[in-house]
Amino acid sequence: MRPVFEIATIAAILVGGIGAIRWIAARTHGDPVERERRRRLKVGRQGRLVDGFIVDIIDTSVLYSYAVAGVEYQAAQDLSAVRSFLSEPIESLVGPVTIRYLPSNPSNSVILTEEWSGFRTKPPHTLSKGA
C-alpha cells in the first residue's frame, strides 16, 4: 500500500507545481494592455525628467526625441489608452515636451500617463490692462 501512497503524493505535488507555474506565468505575462499600463505608471512614477520634442503624430501615436547623457533617443507612445487625459486635440501637441525615462533604461520613456503629463500647456489668453 505504501507505493500507491507515494505515487499519489508525487502526483499531487506535480499537479500543484504545474498549477503554480501556470498561475505565475499568467500573472507576469498577462494581458498586454495591463502590462503596458503598469509600465507606463512605473516610468511616470520613477522616471527622471528630460526635455524633448514631439516630431510627428500618426493617428494616436506620438513620435518624440530626447537626449540623455549625450545619446539621442527617438521613441513613440500610443496615447489611445490615455487620450482622455489630454485637454487639447492630439494634433495640436507638436512641439516641446517633458519626458520621463528610467535611468536604468533611458529608451523606456513616456510623455503621458494616467497620473502625469509632459505636455506643456499654453498660457491662457489674457487681455492687457489699459488696452
Side-chain angles (χ1 to χ4, degrees), residues 11-21:
I13 291 171
L14 286 174
V15 168
I18 291 170
I21 289 170

Side-chain angles (χ1 to χ4, degrees), residues 8-130:
T9 303
I10 291 171
I13 291 171
L14 286 174
V15 168
I18 291 170
I21 289 170
R22 291 186 73 198
W23 180 78
I24 290 169
R27 189 159 154 76
T28 56
H29 297 322
D31 178 31
V33 173
E34 178 60 21
R35 275 197 328 253
E36 171 59 16
R37 186 186 74 78
R38 286 194 314 255
R39 181 199 73 84
R40 205 171 41 239
L41 288 173
K42 178 181 178 181
V43 175
R45 291 174 182 160
Q46 299 175 4
R48 290 191 182 162
L49 299 174
V50 67
D51 288 328
F53 193 82
I54 294 180
V55 178
D56 199 5
I57 297 173
I58 302 171
D59 296 326
T60 59
S61 293
V62 176
L63 289 81
Y64 55 95
S65 65
Y66 57 102
V68 176
V71 178
E72 188 168 325
Y73 294 90
Q74 294 184 352
Q77 182 180 353
D78 179 11
L79 300 182
S80 58
V82 289
R83 192 172 187 169
S84 63
F85 295 98
L86 292 174
S87 60
E88 299 180 39
I90 196 169
E91 298 79 20
S92 68
L93 299 174
V94 173
V97 291
T98 302
I99 294 163
R100 284 194 183 261
Y101 69 93
L102 290 179
S104 60
N105 182 6
S107 63
N108 189 357
S109 60
V110 295
I111 53 175
L112 181 66
T113 73
E114 293 83 345
E115 301 172 344
W116 176 82
S117 174
F119 290 107
R120 300 183 181 163
T121 58
K122 297 175 185 169
H125 177 70
T126 57
L127 296 175
S128 60
K129 293 183 180 178

